[in-house]
Amino acid sequence: MKPNQVKQLERLYRRRSNHGELVSLELARELVEISLDIRRQLGILINRIGEIAYVIVGDERGIMIPNLTDYPLGKRLLRGLRLVHTHLKGEPLSDDDLTDLSLLRLDMIAALQLTQSPERFSIQTAALVPPESSSRPYQVEPSVPFAKFDLHFKHFIEILEQTLERGLEEGKVVASNQERGILISVTRSSHEEAEDSMEELKELARTAGVGVLDTVIQRPKEFNPRYLLGEGKIREVVIKALQFGATMLVFDQELSPAQVRSISELTEMKVIDRSQLILDIFARRATTQDGKVQVELAQLKYLMPRLTGRGVQMSRLMGGIGGRGPGETKLEIDRRRIRDRLAHLERELKELSNGRYQRRQKRVKAGIPIISIVGYTNAGKSTLLNTLTKSEVFTEDLLFATLDTSSRRLRFPMDREVIITDTVGFIRSLPKSLMGAFKATLEELKDADLLIHLVDCSNPRFEEQIQNVDAILAELELADKPRLVVFNKIDLIANLKQRDPLAFMKVRQVTRKYNAITISAQDRKSLEPLLKELQQRFWHDVVDYQSAQDFPLDLDE
């Protein structure tokens, strides 16, 4: 561009628009004249007080909006900027224009549609609308000659914000103090498996205190290395998230650090994956010193590879040419501190593990049988421990309601007793960092004489949960440990025969397959077959054994 054209563009920053107008006639004419002179699209972003925040020079076909870091969204529904730009050939607002309006949450977007005469041009505007009020998140107005354009912008934007907030309030399904999230799954698994995994992610979100606004499942042929989702789909998700006032996106798959960064930059929202959600739940549930140390260890191991900086080319620790300077970079300081903290936690965990080992050895020397309850999360392990031993371990209908290991004595007739241990629940795709951190706690299982594998048979996915628990036990080298399968929550399927005969048949068949005992952990009377089976396992002088299949519910009826 010529020097005088650059000066004209610089002078635009000194222009102002009144509060009541979208753009003044004088400013619009100046934009038109400069745009026709340089033969490029020209745009300005105007803030709420009428100042020009950005002047954008594009090419003949479009403009590129810069990073609007000075005007973040935060909890606002609109950004506080309106875009006015020229269209050299008089074309209407394009799909790119409307996508920018939706993604960037602009107050309004306007196109000055030019003709060969600088004095004759039209204007077309578009603005956002509340969710559910339209099939699209925006409304496009017809073009009108600029001389006939009449809009009191300040009054319009006040009404628009009130309408958007009212639409958001009407669509609220979560409490105002909750995080509001959209759950996303990108997988090549079957549709049924994807739905099952999404249902479990919903339960994890509920446990973590996240209000679920919507769910999205995509099964692409190829994963997008940058966003995981396809670019078109991620834009749809972002527009929906902004429409509904979501504060975070939760992915069912583990994201790479680069993917988290790319999606965060595009959406300006918090982005977490399944592993991070589970870690957050564990952090909330840890109450003992063991649990707190193990959770912090897992979190730091998860965080370590996700620290980002300027790369090794700027490292002050490499030495040599380009490596001399004032010392470590901020990134290297963070990494060193994490490594130091990891070493400290591992030492502390080893000391705690030694203490547990000594306590276990005392139990082994005493010759008291040890029973460990294992199973999928929310199967009712803590409830069963409480009912058997009349204890008060915390229970709630949430995933990972109890995180710390609890051991209690269970007394039988003739001065016999066993020690029953409740362990942390298992879940599919358990983060490796968590598995590594909790191996010390799960060492308790190695000394057990018997594993009670508790199954929530009221869950439609209970067979898959059995397989997941078996796989984790095999990973922990416990596959050969004596095991007793117990189906819990049998009271919830008592009327299943009439309501869903096929599901009832499935429970009956799987019960026979595993020779499982059926109980309701909340009903002490239903535990009689389990208690008799435990006595039979450890003391063979017990008689009158009652089989599992006819108590408390006859599944053979």
Side-chain angles (χ1 to χ4, degrees):
M1 288 188 291
K2 299 175 183 178
N4 65 320
Q5 293 172 336
V6 175
K7 288 182 180 179
Q8 284 180 303
L9 292 171
E10 290 174 347
R11 280 199 297 269
L12 287 175
Y13 281 104
R14 296 199 289 269
R15 292 282 195 176
R16 292 178 68 92
S17 285
N18 295 329
H19 296 300
E21 57 189 5
L22 174 65
V23 59
S24 66
L25 177 60
E26 294 78 9
L27 180 54
R29 281 177 175 169
E30 192 169 352
L31 285 175
V32 170
E33 289 172 0
I34 298 173
S35 184
L36 287 172
D37 185 28
I38 64 177
R39 301 307 303 169
R40 296 185 182 194
Q41 285 195 16
L42 183 61
I44 54 173
L45 284 162
I46 309 172
N47 61 25
R48 292 282 177 89
I49 61 175
E51 295 175 342
I52 295 179
Y54 299 89
V55 176
I56 309 165
V57 180
D59 55 24
E60 189 178 349
R61 292 176 294 180
I63 59 174
M64 183 70 68
I65 298 177
N67 195 345
L68 305 178
T69 51
D70 292 337
Y71 292 85
L73 273 175
K75 294 185 178 180
R76 298 187 303 174
L77 296 178
L78 295 173
R79 195 174 291 271
L81 289 173
R82 55 191 184 270
L83 172 64
V84 180
H85 68 302
T86 59
H87 278 189
L88 294 175
K89 298 180 180 178
E91 64 271 25
L93 287 166
S94 66
D95 289 340
D96 287 342
D97 292 332
L98 298 172
T99 300
D100 287 338
L101 170 69
S102 304
L103 286 177
L104 299 176
R105 305 297 288 179
L106 300 173
D107 291 355
M108 180 176 278
I109 191 168
L112 302 178
Q113 300 166 313
L114 310 190
T115 63
Q116 293 301 318
S117 171
E119 298 298 322
R120 296 177 59 190
F121 58 93
S122 300
I123 185 171
Q124 185 180 26
T125 61
L128 298 173
V129 293
E132 309 295 341
S133 66
S134 170
S135 58
R136 295 181 176 180
Y138 49 77
Q139 181 173 330
V140 182
E141 302 296 338
S143 300
V144 296
F146 193 87
K148 295 182 179 180
F149 180 68
D150 183 22
L151 175 72
H152 193 285
F153 181 75
K154 184 180 180 182
H155 182 62
F156 169 83
I157 207 67
E158 287 174 353
I159 293 177
L160 176 61
E161 287 190 319
Q162 291 172 5
T163 306
L164 290 173
E165 288 178 5
R166 189 164 55 249
L168 193 61
E169 290 291 331
E170 290 173 357
K172 269 192 178 180
V173 292
V174 297
S176 58
N177 60 341
Q178 272 188 306
E179 289 269 23
R180 305 165 60 87
I182 290 182
L183 311 185
I184 304 168
S185 177
V186 188
T187 179
R188 290 178 183 165
S189 304
S190 67
H191 183 73
E192 185 178 337
E193 288 178 3
E195 289 284 355
D196 286 347
S197 185
M198 181 59 76
E199 287 301 316
E200 191 168 88
L201 188 64
K202 281 184 184 178
E203 282 299 304
L204 286 169
R206 182 175 73 89
T207 303
V210 177
V212 178
L213 299 175
D214 198 8
T215 60
V216 176
I217 297 176
Q218 187 182 39
R219 298 171 60 229
K221 293 181 180 178
E222 293 183 2
F223 295 124
N224 186 315
R226 188 174 185 187
Y227 300 118
L228 195 62
L229 281 165
E231 290 196 26
K233 194 68 174 179
I234 189 70
R235 291 181 183 275
E236 287 180 22
V237 169
V238 173
I239 290 171
K240 185 180 292 187
L242 293 168
Q243 264 192 301
F244 286 95
T247 58
M248 67 190 308
L249 302 178
V250 183
F251 281 77
D252 196 24
Q253 289 70 33
E254 189 161 328
L255 300 174
S256 69
Q259 287 171 336
V260 172
R261 189 163 59 252
S262 297
I263 298 170
S264 297
E265 288 174 356
L266 177 67
T267 63
E268 299 184 45
M269 283 187 286
K270 190 187 301 181
V271 178
I272 66 172
D273 57 21
R274 179 190 179 91
S275 297
Q276 200 167 351
L277 188 64
I278 293 174
L279 284 168
D280 184 78
I281 295 170
F282 273 51
R284 292 179 182 214
R285 299 296 178 189
T287 55
T288 65
Q289 184 67 12
D290 277 12
K292 291 177 181 178
V293 169
Q294 290 170 119
V295 168
E296 187 179 354
L297 189 63
Q299 287 178 321
L300 290 176
K301 286 182 176 179
Y302 179 85
L303 176 65
M304 187 71 167
R306 287 164 172 78
L307 291 176
T308 57
R310 302 176 69 178
V312 296
Q313 71 273 13
M314 297 298 291
S315 175
R316 300 300 183 188
L317 300 183
M318 292 178 64
I321 296 173
R324 300 178 181 88
E328 295 172 294
T329 63
K330 174 70 164 61
L331 174 63
E332 286 162 345
I333 291 172
D334 290 342
R335 282 179 174 162
R336 178 170 53 79
R337 285 176 177 167
I338 288 180
R339 282 194 295 268
D340 292 345
R341 182 63 180 163
L342 282 172
H344 171 76
L345 289 172
E346 285 171 350
R347 286 194 300 271
E348 189 172 351
L349 191 60
K350 189 174 181 180
E351 292 173 4
L352 293 169
S353 181
N354 290 336
R356 284 194 301 271
Y357 176 76
Q358 291 173 3
R359 290 193 294 272
R360 291 201 307 272
Q361 288 303 304
K362 287 182 180 178
R363 292 200 294 262
V364 171
K365 287 179 181 178
I368 302 175
I370 299 173
I371 300 171
S372 287
I373 307 174
V374 298
Y376 213 76
T377 180
N378 206 26
K381 297 182 295 298
S382 298
T383 302
L384 177 59
L385 180 69
N386 286 342
T387 307
L388 284 172
T389 62
K390 297 182 180 179
S391 50
E392 297 180 354
V393 175
F394 175 77
T395 61
E396 193 172 350
D397 184 21
L398 293 172
L399 303 187
F400 303 113
T402 50
L403 179 62
D404 303 302
T405 301
S406 302
S407 295
R408 300 289 187 272
R409 286 178 182 259
L410 174 62
R411 294 189 179 277
F412 286 90
M414 300 173 64
D415 291 330
R416 293 164 173 163
E417 62 181 15
V418 297
I419 292 175
I420 294 190
T421 302
D422 173 28
T423 57
V424 62
F426 298 151
I427 196 168
R428 77 170 93 186
S429 305
L430 194 66
K432 290 183 179 178
S433 56
L434 270 179
M435 281 294 293
F438 278 83
K439 271 188 177 179
T441 297
L442 296 173
E443 284 173 358
E444 300 271 353
L445 301 177
K446 292 185 178 179
D447 294 323
D449 298 292
L450 175 68
L451 300 180
I452 292 180
H453 181 175
L454 198 65
V455 180
D456 176 7
C457 63
S458 68
N459 192 307
R461 303 182 298 278
F462 74 96
E463 267 195 293
E464 184 184 342
Q465 291 180 354
I466 292 173
Q467 294 168 5
N468 286 323
V469 172
D470 287 345
I472 293 173
L473 289 174
E475 188 176 341
L476 294 170
E477 300 178 355
L478 295 169
D480 297 331
K481 184 73 67 174
R483 205 178 313 175
L484 174 63
V485 179
V486 177
F487 279 16
N488 187 26
K489 305 185 184 181
I490 202 70
D491 52 312
L492 298 182
I493 65 165
N495 61 347
L496 197 63
K497 187 174 182 179
Q498 292 76 26
R499 186 163 43 88
D500 191 346
L502 290 177
F504 182 86
M505 287 287 292
K506 180 181 177 182
V507 174
R508 185 175 69 177
Q509 290 169 359
V510 179
T511 304
R512 287 174 173 171
K513 175 182 174 182
Y514 288 98
N515 192 28
I517 293 176
T518 55
I519 67 166
S520 171
Q522 293 179 331
D523 181 8
R524 189 171 179 82
K525 291 181 180 179
S526 74
L527 303 184
E528 184 179 342
L530 174 61
L531 293 171
K532 287 187 176 181
E533 173 65 14
L534 294 179
Q535 291 183 80
Q536 183 75 15
R537 292 255 180 159
F538 294 110
W539 304 287
H540 299 291
D541 56 343
V542 176
V543 293
D544 239 358
Y545 170 68
Q546 185 175 13
S547 68
Q549 279 69 27
D550 59 1
F551 195 99
L553 173 67
D554 188 355
L555 294 176
D556 290 327
E557 287 181 353

